[in-house]
Amino acid sequence: MADCEIIGRHRILFVMAVGAEYGVHLQRRFTPLLTGVGPIEAAITTGIALADMARSKTLPDLVVSLGSAGSRACALGEIYQVASVSWRDMDASALGFPKGVTPFLDHPADIPLVTPIDLKAVRLSTGANIVTGDAYAAIDADMVDMETFAVARVCQNFNVPLMGLRGVSDGPGDLDGIRGWTELLSVLDERLAAAVDQLAAALSSTRAL
């Protein structure tokens, strides 16, 4: 069963995709729920975890989805909060639904997330594909990842707020295999840890979520 971290008076569940993003600096701060790569794995794993917590009446006060992202609009190696997240795979526009909106569900194309710390917030696009090269031109967002929208939909179903933290690992050039993704992960680990410290300071003060 996934465990929450206690920060101040708050129960926080940290969610990440894979251990490659969970370096030595983050390891000193929390133990994450690792979902696996992509929106389906993220939805399954997060859904099971929150359902278990709901049954035991231990739902978190906040879920934090964090890890790496690709971008051609944001600075390589920098960390950003997620202002909102969309789902680039969903396109039912042929039936008259706006792109990104799941038919017959009441959610906007861009789902807003909480942004509790003093860090630049940008728009994120989630999908099941690796975006590289000219494919960025078709993305209506500042960054891309493969999990956050799925985590957001699970959190909505359990009425738990979600925060997103992403570090830009790639994007300015064409992605050159897996090394193009992993090369900056150690840098992002340290900088994500600093952002987590900012969150801990905010939650330990009188500020509410």
Side-chain angles (χ1 to χ4, degrees), residues 131-144:
V131 179
T132 185
D134 293 339
Y136 276 103
I139 303 298
D140 181 23
D142 302 298
M143 299 190 302
V144 296

Side-chain angles (χ1 to χ4, degrees), residues 44-169:
I44 291 170
T45 305
T46 308
I48 291 171
L50 290 191
D52 287 342
M53 291 177 175
R55 280 191 292 269
S56 62
K57 302 187 186 315
T58 58
L59 278 170
D61 299 305
L62 175 70
V63 173
V64 181
S65 172
L66 70 165
S68 62
S71 180
R72 284 196 166 177
C74 300
L76 194 65
E78 294 301 319
I79 308 301
Y80 298 87
Q81 282 185 107
V82 178
S84 64
V85 63
S86 58
W87 186 15
R88 62 180 177 270
D89 298 332
M90 176 53 69
D91 186 358
S93 55
L95 299 179
F97 296 94
K99 191 175 187 299
V101 173
T102 306
F104 314 116
L105 289 182
D106 184 21
H107 73 77
D110 285 274
I111 295 177
L113 305 189
V114 298
T115 53
I117 63 175
D118 184 17
L119 190 67
K120 185 175 181 180
V122 301
R123 295 171 63 226
L124 177 66
S125 167
T126 292
N129 64 315
I130 299 290
V131 179
T132 185
D134 293 339
Y136 276 103
I139 303 298
D140 181 23
D142 302 298
M143 299 190 302
V144 296
D145 83 337
M146 301 178 73
E147 294 84 28
T148 301
F149 186 92
V151 176
R153 289 291 294 126
V154 173
C155 287
Q156 283 185 327
N157 276 272
F158 288 92
N159 295 312
V160 175
L162 174 66
M163 176 188 185
L165 284 172
R166 292 281 156 176
V168 180
S169 59

Side-chain angles (χ1 to χ4, degrees), residues 176-195:
D176 183 22
I178 197 165
R179 274 194 61 198
W181 168 58
T182 59
E183 189 172 7
L184 285 180
L185 292 186
S186 62
V187 173
L188 298 183
D189 170 60
E190 183 172 4
R191 293 177 179 179
L192 282 167

